[in-house]
Amino acid sequence: MKDYLFVLGRTPKLSKAEIQSQISSSINLREEIVLASTEKEPHIVMQTLAGTIKICEVVYTGVMPTREDFETILFREVKKQALTFGISMYTDKEPFSTTMPFSIKEALVAQGVRTRFIASKHDAPLSSVVIAKQKVTELICVESQGTWYIGVTKAIQDFEQWNQRDFGRPFSDPKNGMLPPKVARMIVNIAKGALSKTMGPEQSFIVLDPFCGTGTILVEALTMGCRVIGADISELAVERTRKNLAWARIMFTLTPETINVFIHDATHISDVIKDPVHAIVTEPYMGRTNASFFGRMIEREKAKNIIKGLEKLYIGCLREWSKILVQGGIIVMALPQYSLGKETLFVKKVIDRCEILGYTHLNGPIEYGRPDAVVRREFFVFQKKS
C-alpha cells in the first residue's frame, strides 16, 4: 500500500467524490489535491478515474523541504545519466527561490547527469501535455496546514483519448449543455462505487439512463464494463445514442454486452423494463437552460413555475424508478439551481420527499459547473431502501 497525491481537474468537488467512491479512505489536502493510499498501480487507477489529471507517489513528508531534499529525490529518478525535470508548487506560503531549480540542475550536472529544467509559465503547475510530450520527471510540492509533501508524478490523464471521446464521436451536443464525457465517467464511477459497497465489485451492473440525450453516460458506463439501457422521448436522441454506442464499441474494442436503447417517457419506464436494474445515472430535463432565454433575465414567478414543474417531474420519476431498481440500487442524478440575482431557486421538494419515496439520501449536493452560471447542476446520490 503506497500513498499518492491525486491532482484534480476543473471539477474538484465531483473529482473528490469520484476518488472516495473508488478508494476507501482519502484526505483533502487542498482544493485541488487529495492524499490517498492504494495497492493498485497508478496507471491502472488513472484508467478508471476521469476527474484526476495526475497521480504522484509520495516520497517525502515533513517540514519544508530543502534543496538537498529535492536533489536526493531526483538522483533516485535518474535514468541513463540523463534527466529532464520540473517542479510544480501547490502552496500558499512564500515560494522557494526562483534560482533553486537551477542550483539543483547544477548539482546534478556536477555528478555527470545531463540535466534539463522545464519551467512553466507564470509559476503554474506543469500541464499533462508538457509532461507527456517532453518526457518530464515532475516533482509536485504540496503544503497543507504546515506539513509538506513531495510526490513524483507516476501517471497522467490520457488527454488525447479524452479529446477523442469529446470530439471524435459521431454526435455531441455541447450547445444544449449536455454533460461532457469526463463528468459522465465520474458519476458512473460514483454509482458503481456505491453499488460495490453493498453488492460486491465483481458484478456486471446494469445502468439505465432514462434521459439519454446523445448517450454520453451510457458510453462511459459501457467502457466501464456495465450493461446499459437508454431511453429518451426524442427519436433523434435515441438514434444518436445508438450511433455513439456503436462508435464506442469499435473505438475501444469493447466486448459485446447488453445494449438496449428505445424511445420512451422516463416517468413510465416500468412499462417497458421488466427486469431490475442496478443503477440509474442521468441528467434529466432541467428546464430552459439556453443563454438566450436567460439573457432577458427570467421573471421570478416564471422561474418558480418552472421549478414547480421540475419538482413534479423528478418526484414522478423517483416514484416510477423505484419499481425497476434492485434493493439497494443507486440513483445518481443532476438537479438544477436557478440563480436569479441574489436569490436561488432549487427543487427542494425532491430532497425532502426522497425518504417517503423509499430512498436514502447518500450524498449531495456535489457541485458541478461554473458558480456564476444562471442554471447550475448539482449531483445527488440516492439509494433504494432495502
Side-chain angles (χ1 to χ4, degrees):
M1 187 82 73
K2 292 183 179 179
D3 292 338
Y4 294 94
L5 300 169
F6 291 72
V7 182
L8 310 180
R10 296 179 180 177
T11 57
K13 292 184 179 179
L14 193 59
S15 301
K16 288 174 184 176
E18 181 190 33
I19 291 171
Q20 289 164 0
S21 74
Q22 304 297 306
I23 298 174
S24 57
S25 62
S26 61
I27 300 171
N28 298 330
L29 297 183
R30 301 175 60 84
E31 182 183 17
E32 69 276 60
I33 304 287
V34 166
L35 173 66
S37 301
T38 178
E39 295 177 345
K40 295 181 180 179
E41 291 297 318
H43 70 279
I44 299 297
V45 178
M46 185 61 86
Q47 288 174 8
T48 298
L49 300 178
T52 297
I53 57 175
K54 301 175 187 176
I55 301 177
C56 313
E57 183 181 343
V58 176
V59 294
Y60 175 93
T61 304
V63 298
M64 180 183 288
T66 64
R67 187 193 73 188
E68 289 77 14
D69 292 320
F70 285 102
E71 290 173 7
T72 299
I73 294 165
L74 285 170
F75 272 120
R76 292 202 297 262
E77 298 297 319
V78 171
K79 303 291 188 294
K80 298 181 180 180
Q81 293 302 300
L83 181 71
T84 298
F85 79 95
I87 300 175
S88 296
M89 304 295 299
Y90 297 87
T91 176
D92 299 322
K93 305 289 186 184
E94 191 68 27
F96 293 97
S97 166
T98 55
T99 62
M100 186 187 72
F102 300 99
S103 299
I104 295 172
K105 177 181 176 181
E106 290 175 3
L108 291 165
V109 170
Q111 295 295 320
V113 180
R114 297 192 309 276
T115 308
R116 179 179 173 222
F117 171 65
I118 300 293
S120 61
K121 294 181 180 180
H122 312 298
D123 297 322
L126 293 172
S127 70
S128 298
V129 176
V130 169
I131 294 169
K133 298 293 186 184
Q134 303 196 41
K135 299 180 179 179
V136 178
T137 295
E138 181 195 33
L139 303 186
I140 75 165
C141 187
V142 179
E143 184 273 328
S144 177
Q145 297 182 346
T147 300
W148 292 76
Y149 305 82
I150 299 178
V152 180
T153 301
K154 296 297 184 181
I156 59 173
Q157 192 172 74
D158 189 339
F159 50 88
E160 291 181 343
Q161 187 183 100
W162 283 109
N163 283 340
Q164 183 71 7
R165 284 168 131 85
D166 229 339
F167 305 111
R169 54 188 167 151
F171 295 101
S172 59
D173 199 358
K175 290 183 179 179
N176 286 332
M178 294 297 181
L179 293 179
K182 285 185 182 180
V183 174
R185 167 67 69 84
M186 283 188 267
I187 59 177
V188 167
N189 277 336
I190 290 169
K192 285 191 67 180
L195 286 169
S196 295
K197 290 176 182 177
T198 57
M199 300 182 188
E202 302 304 323
Q203 287 197 45
S204 178
F205 298 120
I206 301 173
V207 173
L208 164 68
D209 182 356
F211 294 88
C212 64
T214 56
T216 306
I217 290 172
L218 298 179
V219 166
E220 294 309 316
L222 193 66
T223 62
M224 295 303 295
C226 299
R227 292 172 284 168
V228 300
I229 304 173
D232 203 289
I233 60 172
S234 165
E235 181 179 356
L236 180 61
V238 168
E239 178 186 349
R240 290 179 171 180
T241 292
R242 287 172 177 162
K243 289 182 178 179
N244 279 342
L245 285 167
W247 169 84
R249 287 181 63 176
I250 295 171
M251 176 60 61
F252 305 113
T253 58
L254 303 174
T255 55
E257 288 283 0
T258 301
I259 299 175
N260 190 7
V261 184
F262 47 83
I263 302 168
H264 208 77
D265 182 350
T267 59
H268 296 90
I269 201 78
S270 67
D271 292 346
V272 288
I273 297 179
K274 302 304 180 183
D275 295 328
V277 301
H278 297 95
I280 296 173
V281 183
T282 192
E283 180 185 67
Y285 175 67
M286 305 184 81
R288 296 282 294 275
T289 59
N290 53 305
S292 61
F293 179 66
F294 285 97
R296 300 187 295 272
M297 188 43 73
I298 186 172
E299 298 134 0
R300 182 176 181 275
E301 286 305 311
K302 187 179 288 187
K304 286 180 67 176
N305 287 333
I306 292 174
I307 290 292
K308 287 180 181 178
L310 292 177
E311 285 179 331
K312 183 178 179 181
L313 170 65
Y314 301 156
I315 289 170
C317 284
L318 289 174
R319 184 179 290 112
E320 174 71 6
W321 297 345
S322 179
K323 299 175 185 177
I324 58 171
L325 268 176
V326 299
Q327 297 297 320
I330 297 295
I331 295 176
V332 181
M333 66 185 298
L335 296 178
Q337 272 194 359
Y338 280 37
S339 179
L340 306 177
K342 295 181 179 180
E343 185 178 15
T344 298
L345 300 180
F346 176 65
V347 286
K348 186 174 180 295
K349 288 183 181 178
V350 179
I351 307 304
D352 292 342
R353 295 188 184 178
C354 74
E355 292 282 340
I356 299 173
L357 294 170
Y359 298 95
T360 300
H361 176 194
L362 293 184
N363 200 356
I366 308 168
E367 292 181 13
Y368 160 69
R370 302 190 319 273
D372 59 342
V374 176
V375 180
R376 297 172 57 189
R377 297 176 178 89
E378 294 182 327
F379 286 102
F380 288 80
V381 185
F382 305 108
Q383 184 171 41
K384 183 178 175 180
K385 294 179 182 179
S386 300

